[in-house]
Amino acid sequence: MSKKKSFLRSPCAIANSLDILGDRWSLLVVRDLLQGKQTYTELAESREHIPTNILADRLKRLEAAGIISRNEYQRRPTRYVYALTPKGAELRDVLRAMVAWGTKHIPGTLVMTQRPKN
Amino acid sequence: MSKKKSFLRSPCAIANSLDILGDRWSLLVVRDLLQGKQTYTELAESREHIPTNILADRLKRLEAAGIISRNEYQRRPTRYVYALTPKGAELRDVLRAMVAWGTKHIPGTLVMTQRPKN
């Protein structure tokens, strides 16, 4: 089935990236997954205290956008591990640029390299 | 007056960058200024059709964050030109990374190099 490409706002790569990632939380979830977090509980424990309803929403949206994948690792209760897809992992460069900008221009900010406890 | 540094969410450079830029519009305004747009009218004419109340709000917020500067160029009625500060211009690298990611991973998206009419 061929379908005419339609964009929410324009064909601009930046506008379309922001339609997926343009909020205060999505890229923090990507940051945490890049740093090795895998479970909902680990993601919820981050220092920014993401509200759990927002975390659940962002995980769904990132999965729908092909940025993360979700795999069941336990039943009763069902639990999932989350991981970046190759598409998601390549957001690394966006985050690196943001870290470089932030640490240079927002006094006191840091590169946070928190890793999950093993 | 010495003041203890306080962050909205955490000292993370990404979180603090997103506190300023984490929405669907701010980086599009930065994109347009990087491409040479200067006036409110030019910014309002972009292909994404930014609602004027949102444009006015984002210009104020970006100015407050030291990312853009505003200079009066006409009186009665008062009109301003907007320009990126050096801090704002360095968001170029964040946008470049986003363009690279978007054009690779979101089918049909483009590098939009619209320039204002002279």
Side-chain angles (χ1 to χ4, degrees), chain B residues 15-90:
Chain B
N16 284 278
S17 299
L18 291 173
D19 285 336
I20 303 171
L21 302 163
D23 69 80
R24 293 170 70 241
W25 294 104
S26 296
L27 284 172
L28 294 184
V29 174
V30 172
R31 171 201 68 183
D32 287 352
L33 294 169
L34 275 172
Q35 293 185 348
K37 296 196 176 191
Q38 293 186 297
T39 65
Y40 190 91
T41 306
E42 286 170 347
L43 293 167
E45 277 170 355
S46 283
R47 199 151 160 188
E48 290 83 13
H49 305 295
I50 184 167
T52 53
N53 61 329
I54 293 186
L55 176 56
D57 173 77
R58 293 307 184 275
L59 288 169
K60 267 186 211 154
R61 289 175 51 181
L62 292 170
E63 190 183 359
I67 288 171
I68 66 175
S69 62
R70 183 177 62 133
N71 288 293
E72 192 180 297
Y73 77 94
Q74 182 192 294
R75 293 196 173 184
R76 294 182 209 170
T78 312
R79 299 216 188 280
Y80 300 96
V81 283
Y82 298 90
L84 292 165
T85 62
K87 173 179 177 176
E90 289 191 14

Side-chain angles (χ1 to χ4, degrees), chain A residues 81-118:
Chain A
V81 283
Y82 298 91
L84 293 164
T85 62
K87 173 179 178 176
E90 289 191 15
L91 285 168
R92 185 188 301 119
D93 296 334
V94 174
L95 291 180
R96 272 190 197 138
M98 209 170 264
V99 164
W101 184 83
T103 51
K104 179 168 179 186
H105 292 292
I106 310 174
T109 57
L110 307 167
V111 186
M112 290 191 38
T113 53
Q114 53 192 346
R115 293 203 168 265
K117 297 161 214 121
N118 285 317

Side-chain angles (χ1 to χ4, degrees), chain A residues 32 36-46 116-117:
Chain A
D32 287 352
K37 296 194 176 194
Q38 294 186 297
T39 66
Y40 190 92
T41 305
E42 286 170 347
L43 293 166
E45 276 170 355
S46 283
K117 297 161 214 121

